[in-house]
Amino acid sequence: PGAVLAVRRMDGARAVRAYGLADVSTGMPMRPDMPMRIASVSKPVTALAVMRLVEQGRIELDAPVLPVLLPQLPAGTVPHAAFDRLSVRHLLAHCGGWDRTGGFDPMLQSRVMAERVGSAGPPSPGEVVAWVVSNAPDFGPGTRCEYANVGYAVLGRVIEAVTGEAYVAAVQGLVLRPAGIKGMRLAAARPEDRLSDEPRYHDARRAPSAFQPHEPVGLADGPVALESMDAHGGWLARAEDLVALVAALEGWAGDALLAPDTRERMLAPVWPSDGEGTFFALGWEVDRRGRYWHGGDLPGSAALLVREPDGTVWALLANGSLHDARQPIGPLRAAQELDRSGRGAHDHVLAVEHLERGRLGDQHLGARAPRAGGLGGQPVVDRLLQPAHPAAIVGEHAVGFQHLAVLAVKG
């Protein structure tokens, strides 16, 4: 499989590069402009839409959410009493009452949820949310925090209720158009429903499809119905779109999506995410150095979006699975590990670069930075990817099509 990396700096320098294959079976190369599933990187997209509504005074972070949510759910939905105290802040911070560590995630168990809601095919996000809030939570909202997809599915319905629009249209108006992003849309599970320029998603595992007649298919091609996901993991985007999203949040190329105080509220640590100095905030993970990020993976795809403290943002999208040993995406896993731990003396991960014969390849992006900010028109990677000291190579991984190295470039 392959990957696309986009890097952008606050001074205007930017670069995009594609690696490997869009389709292993045909040999089609990956292209820099290919849209791919971004999985849980969809959560910051949803969180930005919610924070825009908060800033506009159309919703309150700490007010009970059920009075807003109920009109958006199927008629006859009776929420469990424990959700009376559920708030938007609880949902944004993964403190809504759900714990998927027991092995059941209603957003990913498409056939099970179809049976539970009485649907012939994959249930809609609204049907899943109605079932979830009608049943007892795993813990009282706000009493503890556990990462859970379903809270963001609830937020998608809240966005619809507040705006009176479908989730996608609301997010386009609140976030994507103001950020100058035009091509993002919801992804589809089955190959025949995808865009013509999407890559193939590689995962050799098989399971019954969530779509009738439920024949076994590749795990990336139907067993997990992206049509049920939208707000928590359903978006399709280019790597360039994701760095543009953060650039808009930061106000690098115009008015920022959020006022400084709203941005600060969004990125304030809420609870420790791994015991290593990182925290969940509202829609992001953060550390004390000013870095924020979100990762995501689904069968056949993986994604990572990171804003570094020095004013660099990078996004990496891959069309292979983190969890399928036959199609490993080692560079992305190494990038996630490095980003979480801050391991070693390196200040940030900047790029993925081709390795040939045990050394860094000579191929560069060729994109040129503007003559500003001291870059002097040099090729972006000549500036951002300095000649690598051996210690700068975090990990070299065979990923089926070539060797890649994740580079951490100091300072």
Side-chain angles (χ1 to χ4, degrees), residues 175-197:
V175 176
L176 301 183
R177 283 198 294 273
I181 299 169
K182 298 179 180 179
M184 286 181 61
R185 55 166 285 174
L186 293 184
R190 296 179 294 184
E192 60 266 30
D193 296 329
R194 296 176 195 156
L195 297 180
S196 60
D197 57 349

mmCIF file of all heavy atoms in Angstrom, residues 175-197:
data_model
loop_
_atom_site.group_PDB
_atom_site.id
_atom_site.type_symbol
_atom_site.label_atom_id
_atom_site.label_comp_id
_atom_site.label_asym_id
_atom_site.label_seq_id
_atom_site.Cartn_x
_atom_site.Cartn_y
_atom_site.Cartn_z
ATOM 1 N N VAL A 175 -17.314 25.038 9.099
ATOM 2 C CA VAL A 175 -15.873 24.781 9.170
ATOM 3 C C VAL A 175 -15.195 24.743 7.803
ATOM 4 O O VAL A 175 -14.220 25.457 7.565
ATOM 5 C CB VAL A 175 -15.609 23.439 9.907
ATOM 6 C CG1 VAL A 175 -14.114 23.109 9.897
ATOM 7 C CG2 VAL A 175 -16.142 23.496 11.323
ATOM 8 N N LEU A 176 -15.687 23.910 6.898
ATOM 9 C CA LEU A 176 -14.928 23.621 5.690
ATOM 10 C C LEU A 176 -14.866 24.796 4.732
ATOM 11 O O LEU A 176 -13.781 25.162 4.250
ATOM 12 C CB LEU A 176 -15.504 22.379 4.996
ATOM 13 C CG LEU A 176 -15.495 21.102 5.842
ATOM 14 C CD1 LEU A 176 -16.028 19.930 5.030
ATOM 15 C CD2 LEU A 176 -14.114 20.801 6.390
ATOM 16 N N ARG A 177 -15.990 25.413 4.435
ATOM 17 C CA ARG A 177 -15.946 26.568 3.531
ATOM 18 C C ARG A 177 -15.148 27.721 4.118
ATOM 19 O O ARG A 177 -14.329 28.322 3.399
ATOM 20 C CB ARG A 177 -17.362 27.006 3.144
ATOM 21 C CG ARG A 177 -17.998 26.100 2.082
ATOM 22 C CD ARG A 177 -19.184 26.769 1.412
ATOM 23 N NE ARG A 177 -20.281 26.989 2.336
ATOM 24 C CZ ARG A 177 -21.234 26.108 2.607
ATOM 25 N NH1 ARG A 177 -21.223 24.927 2.020
ATOM 26 N NH2 ARG A 177 -22.198 26.398 3.451
ATOM 27 N N PRO A 178 -15.330 28.066 5.398
ATOM 28 C CA PRO A 178 -14.470 29.119 5.964
ATOM 29 C C PRO A 178 -12.983 28.778 5.915
ATOM 30 O O PRO A 178 -12.144 29.672 5.859
ATOM 31 C CB PRO A 178 -14.972 29.234 7.400
ATOM 32 C CG PRO A 178 -16.392 28.798 7.344
ATOM 33 C CD PRO A 178 -16.415 27.684 6.323
ATOM 34 N N ALA A 179 -12.654 27.480 5.942
ATOM 35 C CA ALA A 179 -11.254 27.060 5.879
ATOM 36 C C ALA A 179 -10.743 26.938 4.445
ATOM 37 O O ALA A 179 -9.571 26.620 4.228
ATOM 38 C CB ALA A 179 -11.083 25.724 6.591
ATOM 39 N N GLY A 180 -11.614 27.170 3.463
ATOM 40 C CA GLY A 180 -11.214 27.063 2.071
ATOM 41 C C GLY A 180 -11.091 25.635 1.573
ATOM 42 O O GLY A 180 -10.406 25.368 0.583
ATOM 43 N N ILE A 181 -11.777 24.691 2.236
ATOM 44 C CA ILE A 181 -11.709 23.279 1.882
ATOM 45 C C ILE A 181 -12.974 22.901 1.126
ATOM 46 O O ILE A 181 -14.072 23.053 1.637
ATOM 47 C CB ILE A 181 -11.563 22.408 3.139
ATOM 48 C CG1 ILE A 181 -10.264 22.773 3.874
ATOM 49 C CG2 ILE A 181 -11.589 20.926 2.791
ATOM 50 C CD1 ILE A 181 -10.157 22.154 5.244
ATOM 51 N N LYS A 182 -12.822 22.384 -0.085
ATOM 52 C CA LYS A 182 -13.975 22.137 -0.939
ATOM 53 C C LYS A 182 -14.273 20.658 -1.181
ATOM 54 O O LYS A 182 -15.403 20.314 -1.520
ATOM 55 C CB LYS A 182 -13.766 22.827 -2.293
ATOM 56 C CG LYS A 182 -13.630 24.343 -2.202
ATOM 57 C CD LYS A 182 -13.391 24.953 -3.571
ATOM 58 C CE LYS A 182 -13.243 26.471 -3.491
ATOM 59 N NZ LYS A 182 -12.982 27.072 -4.820
ATOM 60 N N GLY A 183 -13.290 19.785 -1.061
ATOM 61 C CA GLY A 183 -13.474 18.428 -1.540
ATOM 62 C C GLY A 183 -13.832 17.391 -0.504
ATOM 63 O O GLY A 183 -14.067 16.230 -0.857
ATOM 64 N N MET A 184 -13.875 17.748 0.770
ATOM 65 C CA MET A 184 -14.156 16.739 1.787
ATOM 66 C C MET A 184 -15.604 16.281 1.721
ATOM 67 O O MET A 184 -16.519 17.078 1.488
ATOM 68 C CB MET A 184 -13.831 17.280 3.182
ATOM 69 C CG MET A 184 -12.340 17.355 3.472
ATOM 70 S SD MET A 184 -11.933 17.976 5.128
ATOM 71 C CE MET A 184 -12.723 16.748 6.194
ATOM 72 N N ARG A 185 -15.812 14.987 1.948
ATOM 73 C CA ARG A 185 -17.144 14.408 1.939
ATOM 74 C C ARG A 185 -17.109 13.155 2.814
ATOM 75 O O ARG A 185 -16.047 12.757 3.304
ATOM 76 C CB ARG A 185 -17.578 14.041 0.528
ATOM 77 C CG ARG A 185 -16.601 13.122 -0.188
ATOM 78 C CD ARG A 185 -17.181 12.509 -1.435
ATOM 79 N NE ARG A 185 -18.121 11.446 -1.131
ATOM 80 C CZ ARG A 185 -18.856 10.810 -2.038
ATOM 81 N NH1 ARG A 185 -18.767 11.144 -3.312
ATOM 82 N NH2 ARG A 185 -19.677 9.838 -1.697
ATOM 83 N N LEU A 186 -18.258 12.538 3.015
ATOM 84 C CA LEU A 186 -18.289 11.301 3.778
ATOM 85 C C LEU A 186 -17.852 10.129 2.900
ATOM 86 O O LEU A 186 -18.150 10.073 1.707
ATOM 87 C CB LEU A 186 -19.684 11.039 4.338
ATOM 88 C CG LEU A 186 -20.169 12.018 5.409
ATOM 89 C CD1 LEU A 186 -21.530 11.580 5.941
ATOM 90 C CD2 LEU A 186 -19.171 12.137 6.557
ATOM 91 N N ALA A 187 -17.148 9.203 3.518
ATOM 92 C CA ALA A 187 -16.635 8.035 2.815
ATOM 93 C C ALA A 187 -17.709 6.961 2.697
ATOM 94 O O ALA A 187 -18.737 6.990 3.388
ATOM 95 C CB ALA A 187 -15.420 7.480 3.554
ATOM 96 N N ALA A 188 -17.472 5.998 1.827
ATOM 97 C CA ALA A 188 -18.372 4.865 1.628
ATOM 98 C C ALA A 188 -17.619 3.571 1.883
ATOM 99 O O ALA A 188 -16.414 3.461 1.608
ATOM 100 C CB ALA A 188 -18.930 4.869 0.205
ATOM 101 N N ALA A 189 -18.318 2.578 2.390
ATOM 102 C CA ALA A 189 -17.671 1.316 2.751
ATOM 103 C C ALA A 189 -17.358 0.453 1.537
ATOM 104 O O ALA A 189 -16.275 -0.130 1.445
ATOM 105 C CB ALA A 189 -18.555 0.550 3.733
ATOM 106 N N ARG A 190 -18.309 0.341 0.599
ATOM 107 C CA ARG A 190 -18.158 -0.604 -0.503
ATOM 108 C C ARG A 190 -17.394 0.022 -1.672
ATOM 109 O O ARG A 190 -17.580 1.203 -1.981
ATOM 110 C CB ARG A 190 -19.531 -1.085 -0.966
ATOM 111 C CG ARG A 190 -20.280 -1.868 0.098
ATOM 112 C CD ARG A 190 -21.642 -2.323 -0.379
ATOM 113 N NE ARG A 190 -22.553 -1.195 -0.608
ATOM 114 C CZ ARG A 190 -23.829 -1.329 -0.947
ATOM 115 N NH1 ARG A 190 -24.337 -2.546 -1.113
ATOM 116 N NH2 ARG A 190 -24.590 -0.265 -1.125
ATOM 117 N N PRO A 191 -16.544 -0.754 -2.343
ATOM 118 C CA PRO A 191 -15.771 -0.201 -3.466
ATOM 119 C C PRO A 191 -16.636 0.451 -4.532
ATOM 120 O O PRO A 191 -16.256 1.486 -5.101
ATOM 121 C CB PRO A 191 -15.035 -1.434 -4.012
ATOM 122 C CG PRO A 191 -14.901 -2.344 -2.830
ATOM 123 C CD PRO A 191 -16.168 -2.148 -2.038
ATOM 124 N N GLU A 192 -17.801 -0.122 -4.827
ATOM 125 C CA GLU A 192 -18.633 0.433 -5.899
ATOM 126 C C GLU A 192 -19.253 1.780 -5.540
ATOM 127 O O GLU A 192 -19.769 2.488 -6.420
ATOM 128 C CB GLU A 192 -19.745 -0.558 -6.271
ATOM 129 C CG GLU A 192 -20.693 -0.902 -5.137
ATOM 130 C CD GLU A 192 -20.297 -2.158 -4.377
ATOM 131 O OE1 GLU A 192 -19.079 -2.443 -4.300
ATOM 132 O OE2 GLU A 192 -21.209 -2.858 -3.878
ATOM 133 N N ASP A 193 -19.214 2.144 -4.264
ATOM 134 C CA ASP A 193 -19.799 3.416 -3.831
ATOM 135 C C ASP A 193 -18.762 4.515 -3.640
ATOM 136 O O ASP A 193 -19.104 5.635 -3.265
ATOM 137 C CB ASP A 193 -20.562 3.219 -2.519
ATOM 138 C CG ASP A 193 -21.747 2.278 -2.659
ATOM 139 O OD1 ASP A 193 -22.342 2.248 -3.761
ATOM 140 O OD2 ASP A 193 -22.072 1.570 -1.689
ATOM 141 N N ARG A 194 -17.500 4.213 -3.881
ATOM 142 C CA ARG A 194 -16.435 5.174 -3.619
ATOM 143 C C ARG A 194 -16.204 6.107 -4.796
ATOM 144 O O ARG A 194 -16.655 5.869 -5.913
ATOM 145 C CB ARG A 194 -15.130 4.432 -3.291
ATOM 146 C CG ARG A 194 -15.213 3.618 -2.015
ATOM 147 C CD ARG A 194 -13.941 2.832 -1.784
ATOM 148 N NE ARG A 194 -14.180 1.799 -0.779
ATOM 149 C CZ ARG A 194 -13.487 0.694 -0.664
ATOM 150 N NH1 ARG A 194 -12.491 0.450 -1.516
ATOM 151 N NH2 ARG A 194 -13.775 -0.191 0.279
ATOM 152 N N LEU A 195 -15.433 7.166 -4.545
ATOM 153 C CA LEU A 195 -15.031 8.077 -5.604
ATOM 154 C C LEU A 195 -14.074 7.386 -6.554
ATOM 155 O O LEU A 195 -13.319 6.483 -6.168
ATOM 156 C CB LEU A 195 -14.363 9.318 -5.011
ATOM 157 C CG LEU A 195 -15.211 10.213 -4.112
ATOM 158 C CD1 LEU A 195 -14.384 11.395 -3.624
ATOM 159 C CD2 LEU A 195 -16.450 10.703 -4.842
ATOM 160 N N SER A 196 -14.065 7.838 -7.803
ATOM 161 C CA SER A 196 -13.206 7.207 -8.810
ATOM 162 C C SER A 196 -11.726 7.424 -8.532
ATOM 163 O O SER A 196 -10.888 6.637 -8.987
ATOM 164 C CB SER A 196 -13.554 7.753 -10.199
ATOM 165 O OG SER A 196 -13.356 9.159 -10.246
ATOM 166 N N ASP A 197 -11.377 8.493 -7.796
ATOM 167 C CA ASP A 197 -9.963 8.760 -7.532
ATOM 168 C C ASP A 197 -9.520 8.342 -6.137
ATOM 169 O O ASP A 197 -8.416 8.681 -5.708
ATOM 170 C CB ASP A 197 -9.647 10.242 -7.747
ATOM 171 C CG ASP A 197 -10.502 11.181 -6.896
ATOM 172 O OD1 ASP A 197 -11.478 10.700 -6.291
ATOM 173 O OD2 ASP A 197 -10.193 12.382 -6.848
#
